[in-house]
Structure formats: C-alpha cells, structure tokens
Amino acid sequence: KQEVTQIPAALSVPEGENLVLNCSFTDSAIYNLQWFRQDPGKGLTSLLLIQSSQREQTSGRLNASLDKSSGRSTLYIAASQPGDSATYLCAVSAGNQFYFGTGTSLTVIP
Amino acid sequence: NAGVMQNPRHLVRRRGQEARLRCSPMKGHSHVYWYRQLPEEGLKFMVYLQKENIIDESGMPKERFSAEFPKEGPSILRIQQVVRGDSAAYFCASSPSQGLELYGYTFGSGTRLTVV
C-alpha cells in the first residue's frame, strides 16, 4: 500500500529565504506526482505536476524534483514571501487515486 | 471557464439527518473523485466515478455513504444518518479522460460538513 510522508510537518522561515520541502513515498510504481497548496479553510491549488518520466518541473519561484527510484520528491521555493504561507501537500497517483501526505505547514515571517 | 464547483461550501446537519454534497466537474472533464479530509489528517480517497458509473469505491465506508454521477447534472455524495465522526471537509476533484496519468487533478473548494 502506498504511503506518503512529508518532512518537516511545520516550518517557519524569515522572508527572503530559500527553502526545501520534502516528500517520500513507498511504492515507485506511480503515474505522476503533484504538489498542492492549501490555505486555511480553503481548497487545494495545484502548483506543479511531474509525470513519472520527468525529473523536474518549474513554475516561477517553484521547482519540484522527482526521483522515482528512491521514492523522493522535493519542492524548492526561492525567495520566500509572506504570501507563501500555507500548507503544502504532496500527492502521488497510482491506480485510480492520489495518495496524499499530511503536508508541511509553512509560515514565512515578514 | 469555471473550475470544479462544489456546493454548499458549508453544511450543518444534526445527528441522524442526511447530507447531500454536490460537485460539478470542470468543463470537458469526465472523471470525478471524492476525497475526505478529517481534522488533523491527510486527504483520503473515497470514490472515483465516470458518468453513470462507479469505477472505484474502495475508500467509501460500507454503510451510510453513497455516490453517483448521473448522465445529466452534478455528482452527488450522499451521507445518510450522519454522525459526529462524519464532520470533515469533503473535496471533489475532476480530470479529463486519460485522467491521472497525464493531467492530475483539479480540486474544488470543498464542502465543510459539521454534524451537531
């Protein structure tokens, strides 16, 4: 059964810092991996989708990598801003569903 | 070009009542997925539907919960005789045909169910 773990569970950084969020999964037989952002009481916003044949994806200040063989992904956020404060969720797809981690709660301090 | 629409955004039910949650997928999307997020827990898969078909309901509780995606209209997640433990955020996601392999999900804003 696929299990997804995200480390750290919470992270607090000063504005302007670069940071890395980690995601690991137990079964490498995945279709793709998707990073989401969730603001308190809100829905999920897709940030980046990496297909299983890809190694990374970039969007603005965000860069996500995927190493399927080791079951790891990282989300790199450059020059963090207070507006980046949210919970970041990693999800891997297999079969008919996505398996989600419990997220990293990020606070960027002005 | 509306995204995935869920309503209501908030729903309060007394124990024993029925809850009906609605989801309209993005235009052009034919696959609908329901997930539940319990307080302090991650999102858990409940059910995957295509028009008029339940494809995978392996995450659905065996009793009181049902889902449908009729030929016309939104997908409905129905919870009968709600209990306090059903209080959660329920999210709907959709994807086009070819689904997860290529496109991943687009999520709605969720329905927050509170059972009192």
Side-chain angles (χ1 to χ4, degrees), chain A residues 1 31-32 34 36 38-46 49 51 89 93-102, chain B residues 9 33 35 37 40-45 48 55-56 58 91 100-105 107-110 112:
Chain A
K1 181 183 178 236
Y31 297 135
N32 53 47
Q34 200 164 358
F36 294 89
Q38 186 176 28
D39 292 282
K42 305 287 187 183
L44 279 72
T45 301
S46 178
L49 171 71
Q51 294 180 15
L89 297 169
S93 68
N96 291 319
Q97 62 177 281
F98 264 101
Y99 296 85
F100 281 84
T102 50
Chain B
R9 294 290 301 273
Y33 309 81
Y35 282 74
Q37 187 175 37
E40 307 304 322
E41 294 188 21
L43 280 87
K44 302 295 184 189
F45 170 78
Y48 161 40
I55 307 301
D56 183 348
S58 58
F91 290 97
L100 299 187
E101 292 90 340
L102 295 177
Y103 300 106
Y105 280 163
F107 272 91
S109 298
R112 278 146 188 88

Side-chain angles (χ1 to χ4, degrees), chain A residues 44-76:
Chain A
L44 279 72
T45 301
S46 178
L47 298 173
L48 289 164
L49 171 71
I50 311 176
Q51 294 180 15
S52 62
S53 59
Q54 298 174 327
R55 295 296 295 239
E56 67 176 341
Q57 284 287 336
T58 298
S59 176
R61 294 182 294 108
L62 305 180
N63 175 276
S65 68
L66 173 63
D67 183 344
K68 240 178 56 164
S69 60
S70 67
R72 296 181 187 276
S73 176
T74 61
L75 178 66
Y76 175 82

Side-chain angles (χ1 to χ4, degrees), chain A residues 73-96:
Chain A
S73 176
T74 61
L75 178 66
Y76 175 82
I77 303 177
S80 57
Q81 302 171 357
D84 295 332
S85 298
T87 296
Y88 290 79
L89 297 169
C90 165
V92 297
S93 68
N96 291 319

Side-chain angles (χ1 to χ4, degrees), chain B residues 8-51:
Chain B
R9 294 290 301 273
H10 300 274
L11 182 61
V12 179
R13 284 288 178 265
R14 295 187 182 278
R15 279 179 296 171
Q17 291 185 318
E18 178 179 288
R20 279 181 174 251
L21 289 63
R22 289 177 291 278
C23 169
S24 296
M26 278 189 71
K27 187 176 180 180
H29 285 194
S30 56
H31 300 220
V32 166
Y33 309 81
W34 286 93
Y35 282 74
R36 176 165 66 172
Q37 187 175 37
L38 292 164
E40 307 304 322
E41 294 188 21
L43 280 87
K44 302 295 184 189
F45 170 78
M46 299 182 75
V47 62
Y48 161 40
L49 309 104
Q50 296 177 22
K51 287 283 187 183

